[in-house]
Each structure stands twice: as C-alpha cells, then as structure tokens.
Amino acid sequence: LNAIIGFCQLMEDGLPGPINALQARYLSDVLKSARHLLQLINDLLDLSKIAAGKMELRPQSFALAEAIEEVCSGVQPLADVKSIQVTRRLENAPAQAYLDTGRFKQILYNLLSNAIKFTPDRGSVAVEVDRPQAGGFSMSVRDNGIGIAPENMRRLFKEFEQLDNSVTRSHQGTGLGLALTRTLVEMQGGSIRAESEPGGGSTFIVTLPGTQVAAAEVT
Ligand SMILES: Nc1ncnc2c1ncn2[C@@H]1O[C@H](COP(=O)(O)OP(=O)(O)OP(=O)(O)O)[C@@H](O)[C@H]1O
Ligand SMILES: [Mg+2]
C-alpha cells in the first residue's frame, strides 16, 4: 500500500511526465481508496494488538500545543475540501504533557476526522484545551454538524458501529475509530464522553492525566 500510495502521488504530481484529466481523476480515486484501506488495516492491527495485550505505550514529555497544531494542520486538507474552519483555543493548555505522543495525536486525529466528516460544507470545528480542577487536562473537539440522536449515544464507542447504516450512506468509514480512540484514552488513564443533539452538532471531550513527569523520566 505504501508503494501504491507513493507512486500514485508521484504520478499525480506529474514527476514521471504529464497526465491528462481522466488519468488524474483515476489516480485520485486510487489514492483515496488506498489511504482508506491503509487506515482500516492500521486500525484493525491496533485493535488486535490491544486484544492480545500487546499494545505498548511509550509515554514521554512533549509540547502539547505543538502536537495539537500538527494534527490540526494534518487534517486541514480534509477540511479545505468542505470549506470547514478548524479553530483552536489552546491558551489554557499546559505547556507539556506526559503521554504516548503518537497515540495522543491518533486520538485527536480520529476525533477531528469524524468532526469534519459529519459536518456539512462551510461548517465549523473547534479544538479547545482546558485544565479542570481535578488535574490533568481536557481536550474537546466540537462541530456544528449532523449531531447524534440520544438513543444512539451508547453505541458510539463500540467496534464496527456506524449510526447511519442506510444503503445511501454517504460517509466513508468502518466504525472502528471511536472504539480505538476510547481504548487509547482509557489505557492512558483518561476518559472520553460525547455531548450531542441531532442537528445541533457534537462535542467529544477527552480528559487525560499526564501533566506530571513520571519518576522514571526525572532520573
Ligand atoms: N462528530 C460526529 N458527529 C456525528 N456523528 C458522529 C460523529 N463522530 C462519530 N459519529 C457517529 O459515530 C459512528 C462511529 O464513529 P467511528 O469514528 O467509530 O466510525 P467511522 O468514522 O464511521 O469509521 P472509521 O472511524 O472506522 O473510519 C460514525 O459512523 C457516526 O455515525
Ligand atoms: Mg471515524
């Protein structure tokens, strides 16, 4: 898949030579499917690793705002396609977090890609970090998209659950993102919850510990 994606990108960029409009369209379809398949495989591998008890987290100190910025710019192309604004409010964020950086970014990526996917064109998505009294930090991802019906809220974090199962379903995906996200949050001592209203947008709030530096890192 990495070869397929890499060489398709080279051709799309016209490096081996010029391509016509139809070829460009096919290449873009191949790229989209390949990226989607890669995502699916990675999610399945992660879930299998967790089920086998082999998921290892490597916590370290990292600059929290910087990591969030990186993920936000990563999803910007997805948002651009739908003219969605992704805003951030990070002024209350602790300077450093102590977590598995890659897994932290994966959590945010999953929530942001959902927010963008389930929000119509010209909508808005916002990331906000706060420091609750209880310690640690909270990170919320809010959208003003299609929202979630109350009776569906409990299905959200289950594997392979997608709320809209209609044949005409217009959103891509497998229903693994939130199940994986919840496990990654809980494995790091955090929790995740959702607030939503049909048609009124959704907010996913992750609370994580991990502003303290573990003893191991001090030595
Ligand atoms: N921000 C949101 N607004 C409205 N519905 C949402 C939102 N996030 C998730 N959902 C609903 O919850 C379901 C499960 O989300 P999840 O991320 O697990 O799966 P997915 O995005 O459909 O597929 P995948 O993440 O595997 O690509 C979605 O299919 C959608 O119905
Ligand atoms: Mg998803």
Side-chain angles (χ1 to χ4, degrees):
L1 275 172
N2 285 320
I4 291 173
I5 292 169
F7 286 116
C8 277
Q9 243 157 6
L10 281 184
M11 288 193 276
E12 206 178 40
D13 293 344
L15 277 157
I19 54 170
N20 65 36
L22 193 59
Q23 288 166 333
R25 210 183 82 201
Y26 292 164
L27 274 176
S28 137
D29 285 346
V30 173
L31 265 174
K32 217 188 277 169
S33 303
R35 287 198 185 110
H36 185 230
L37 192 53
L38 189 59
Q39 175 78 52
L40 172 59
I41 291 171
N42 283 331
D43 282 358
L44 278 173
L45 272 178
D46 282 345
L47 282 167
S48 311
K49 252 190 224 165
I50 290 165
K54 298 279 187 199
M55 171 68 81
E56 278 173 28
L57 298 172
R58 291 189 189 80
Q60 59 181 75
S61 287
F62 63 94
L64 184 60
E66 215 170 277
I68 294 174
E69 277 301 329
E70 203 184 305
V71 181
C72 288
S73 7
V75 297
Q76 196 57 56
L78 297 175
D80 285 342
V81 173
K82 301 177 77 177
S83 308
I84 289 175
Q85 289 272 88
V86 181
T87 57
R88 338 16 172 165
R89 280 193 54 189
L90 308 179
E91 64 268 17
N92 291 331
Q96 300 277 311
Y98 186 81
L99 297 163
D100 185 310
T101 321
R103 298 303 178 185
F104 170 77
K105 289 184 195 164
Q106 188 177 359
I107 291 164
L108 180 57
Y109 175 86
N110 282 343
L111 295 178
L112 277 173
S113 60
N114 278 351
I116 293 167
K117 181 157 60 167
F118 299 107
T119 297
D121 290 4
R122 282 175 293 283
S124 63
V125 171
V127 183
E128 191 173 335
V129 176
D130 254 310
R131 271 195 269 192
Q133 298 256 298
F137 67 95
S138 71
M139 176 172 72
S140 63
V141 176
R142 193 177 60 239
D143 64 61
N144 65 351
I146 61 174
I148 300 155
E151 65 270 24
N152 285 331
M153 294 293 271
R154 62 184 177 81
R155 288 169 50 206
L156 274 179
F157 298 99
K158 291 198 181 134
E159 281 105 343
F160 299 109
E161 287 279 6
Q162 297 184 292
L163 305 181
D164 174 12
N165 280 325
S166 58
V167 196
T168 53
R169 201 170 174 281
S170 59
H171 308 290
Q172 269 199 335
T174 317
L176 291 176
L178 281 179
L180 186 54
T181 301
R182 179 172 73 172
T183 311
L184 291 175
V185 169
E186 289 177 352
M187 278 181 80
Q188 312 205 64
S191 62
I192 183 169
R193 65 194 167 86
E195 292 169 359
S196 185
E197 250 175 80
S202 311
T203 307
F204 285 80
I205 303 129
V206 173
T207 308
L208 283 162
T211 45
Q212 80 281 26
V213 177
E217 207 170 77
V218 178
T219 55

